[in-house]
């Protein structure tokens, strides 16, 4: 692993020891160049032009998760195919040089152009248009034997991810199984099914996982239930840690390893851009789980991290760092607001009192960037 390019807080510092994995989280997926238009008064209509309040350009797709975990202090390794075009160079440079993500398992390919997504945020939601082609190689070809890691994050519905790559005694084993055999906790999420088939056999793959973090719509669709709570109960029968996010209504979770059940509300914030917010929630859950926090603290921390991202423009750019967490808690703890809501926040997040004093003033904070000039993505922390 390369040294981080800035001084940061290490939430797993007390758990590091000789012989422990160098990688905290290993992720695989497609990196998009994201162009995010936010603050639209209305969606564009045929034959019209709409101006946005904000524009951000940044690595997206799986990069949203990789940046979020790295900003929160986890040593992150990303395996992805990159183009050698200008967009691919920009994404590679941003992730490796600015964010300090290990790209040792990634490769650049000629004659393959970068996938691109245009995201338009308005009315608290978003619309996206994407273009791209399949990666030149599969995850099995790109990854081979995965690095020894504390955790991996996977897409439960990505069929190619679950193709066996082992041989001999390991025949039938996927690289995800190999990572788990070597001690990694396997976290999974699942995306929207564009055909809305919601094949329930996808849930059979939870037998290879330790945690599952779907949203309420996905959870209910795949389990065939009519409420987030019933979906959570069904998922908890299949996987040790199940957490269902439910937008403005917060999140529900069960950790069958410890017997904990929790429900946390969302924070009241002005929604600017939801791009990548789910990835930030997942990254924060990874941090809390690896640090062995109580389930309620993990989920509250994830809800806070997601809320901080929701108030900013720009997908991966909006992911908060420990500096942002410390700023928020310091302002809340010393603030003058003394209504019932803010008193509740102080009680719910009092566990941060044990963490924030150890966060250095120079800890990582969110960045802004464009593809206009190389200087725009340097020295932004």
């Amino acid at each position: 692993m390369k040294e981080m390019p800035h001084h940061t807080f290490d939430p797993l510092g007390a758990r590091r020891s000789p012989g422990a994995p160098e990688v905290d989280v290993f992720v695989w997926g497609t990196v998009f160049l994201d162009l995010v238009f936010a603050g639209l008064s209305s969606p564009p209509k045929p034959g019209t032009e709409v101006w946005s309040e904000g524009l951000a350009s940044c690595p997206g797709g799986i990069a949203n998760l990789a940046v979020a975990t790295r900003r929160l202090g986890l040593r992150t390794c990303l395996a992805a195919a990159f183009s050698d075009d200008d967009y691919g160079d920009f994404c590679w440079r941003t992730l490796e040089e600015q964010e300090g993500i290990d790209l040792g398992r990634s490769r650049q390919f000629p004659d393959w152009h970068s996938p691109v997504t245009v995201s338009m945020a308005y009315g608290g939601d978003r619309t996206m248009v994407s273009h791209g082609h399949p990666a030149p190689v599969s995850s099995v070809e790109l990854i081979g034997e995965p690095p020894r890691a504390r955790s991996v994050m996977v897409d439960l519905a990505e069929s190619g991810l679950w193709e066996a790559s082992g041989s001999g005694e390991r025949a039938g084993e996927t690289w995800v199984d190999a990572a788990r055999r070597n001690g990694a906790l396997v976290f999974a999420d699942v995306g929207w099914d564009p055909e809305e088939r919601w094949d329930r056999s996808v849930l059979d793959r939870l037998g290879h996982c330790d945690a599952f973090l779907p949203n309420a719509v996905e959870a209910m669709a795949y389990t065939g239930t009519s409420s987030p709570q019933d979906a959570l109960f069904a998922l908890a029968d299949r996987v040790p840690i199940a957490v269902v996010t439910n937008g403005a209504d917060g999140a529900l979770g069960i950790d069958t390893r410890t017997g904990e059940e929790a429900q946390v509300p969302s924070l009241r914030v002005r929604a600017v851009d939801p791009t990548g917010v789910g990835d930030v929630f997942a990254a924060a859950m990874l941090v809390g789980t690896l640090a062995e926090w109580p389930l309620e603290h993990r989920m509250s921390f994830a809800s806070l991290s997601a809320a901080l991202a929701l108030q900013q423009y720009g997908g991966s750019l909006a992911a908060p760092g420990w500096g942002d967490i410390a700023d928020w808690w310091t302002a809340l703890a010393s603030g003058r607001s003394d209504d019932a809501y803010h008193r509740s926040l102080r009680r719910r997040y009092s566990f941060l009192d044990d963490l924030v004093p150890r966060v250095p003033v120079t800890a990582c904070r969110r960045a802004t960037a464009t593809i206009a000039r190389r200087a725009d993505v340097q020295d932004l922390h």
Side-chain angles (χ1 to χ4, degrees):
M1 290 288 296
K2 290 187 176 182
E3 293 284 336
M4 283 196 74
H6 47 75
H7 184 45
T8 188
F9 173 65
D10 184 358
L12 304 184
R15 286 172 169 75
R16 302 205 185 278
S17 60
E22 284 296 311
V23 174
D24 294 328
V25 56
F26 177 64
V27 294
W28 143 267
T30 301
V31 173
F32 289 76
L33 172 69
D34 276 2
L35 299 175
V36 182
F37 294 85
L40 295 171
S41 58
S42 63
K45 299 176 182 178
T48 67
E49 181 180 20
V50 178
W51 284 72
S52 67
E53 293 179 5
L55 168 66
S57 50
C58 54
I62 192 61
N64 290 333
L65 178 66
V67 169
T69 56
R70 193 67 184 109
R71 293 262 181 93
L72 291 175
L74 296 185
R75 299 173 180 176
T76 302
C77 181
L78 167 64
F82 289 76
S83 172
D84 66 351
D85 60 20
D86 287 346
Y87 291 165
D89 286 344
F90 166 75
C91 289
W92 185 290
R93 188 173 62 245
T94 301
L95 295 173
E96 184 176 57
E97 297 178 11
Q98 177 183 324
E99 300 295 345
I101 294 169
D102 179 6
L103 299 182
R105 296 302 179 103
S106 297
R107 287 166 52 193
Q108 286 189 283
F109 295 89
D111 304 318
W112 180 70
H113 68 73
S114 296
V116 176
T117 290
V118 175
S119 176
M120 293 168 283
Y122 56 88
D125 210 335
R126 62 183 176 173
T127 297
M128 296 184 290
V129 178
S130 297
H131 174 72
H133 300 281
V137 296
S138 68
S139 64
V140 173
E141 294 174 274
L142 190 63
I143 295 168
E145 181 73 14
R148 187 162 169 255
R150 296 174 189 266
S151 65
V152 298
M153 188 77 185
V154 299
D155 182 344
L156 201 67
E158 186 181 342
S159 57
L161 194 68
W162 305 95
E163 295 176 356
S165 58
S167 59
E169 293 182 359
R170 306 298 183 189
E173 183 178 75
T174 68
W175 71 258
V176 179
D177 295 325
R180 197 180 190 204
R181 170 170 49 80
N182 288 324
L185 294 177
V186 178
F187 287 71
D189 63 7
V190 67
W192 176 261
D193 181 352
E195 298 179 0
E196 298 189 45
R197 293 176 55 245
W198 309 108
D199 184 355
R200 295 185 190 177
S201 66
V202 167
L203 297 184
D204 294 340
R205 297 168 184 162
L206 288 176
H208 301 265
C209 302
D210 299 283
F212 186 40
L213 312 171
N215 66 37
V217 172
E218 296 157 353
M220 289 187 290
Y222 275 112
T223 58
T225 54
S226 57
S227 73
Q229 187 75 66
D230 286 339
L232 177 68
F233 291 152
L235 294 173
D237 286 338
R238 290 176 170 266
V239 67
I241 303 171
V243 175
V244 175
T245 59
N246 195 21
D249 293 326
L252 316 166
I254 295 176
D255 188 335
T256 61
R257 307 171 309 166
T258 62
E260 297 171 280
E261 298 191 18
Q263 180 171 353
V264 301
S266 293
L267 277 70
R268 298 174 183 174
V269 298
R270 175 176 172 266
V272 172
D273 181 4
T275 307
V277 168
D279 294 304
V280 171
F281 185 97
M285 279 295 300
L286 270 165
V287 171
T289 302
L290 294 179
E292 299 181 5
W293 297 350
L295 179 61
E296 185 175 359
H297 291 179
R298 284 178 261 165
M299 293 173 58
S300 294
F301 182 69
S303 180
L304 167 61
S305 299
L308 292 177
L310 185 61
Q311 298 174 82
Q312 304 293 323
Y313 296 124
S316 63
L317 295 177
W322 275 102
D324 300 301
I325 301 293
D327 292 345
W328 179 85
W329 173 245
T330 300
L332 176 68
S334 60
R336 297 181 179 180
S337 298
D338 197 38
D339 54 77
Y341 172 67
H342 286 88
R343 290 197 298 271
S344 174
L345 285 180
R346 292 187 187 102
R347 290 192 299 269
R348 194 187 324 154
Y349 287 96
S350 60
F351 68 92
L352 291 177
D353 250 346
D354 296 328
L355 296 169
V356 166
R358 294 185 275 130
V359 176
V361 174
T362 53
C364 176
R365 287 172 171 81
R366 61 172 65 90
T368 56
T370 73
I371 58 173
R373 297 172 303 166
R374 179 164 184 163
D376 291 332
V377 296
Q378 295 175 333
D379 302 323
L380 291 171
H381 289 279

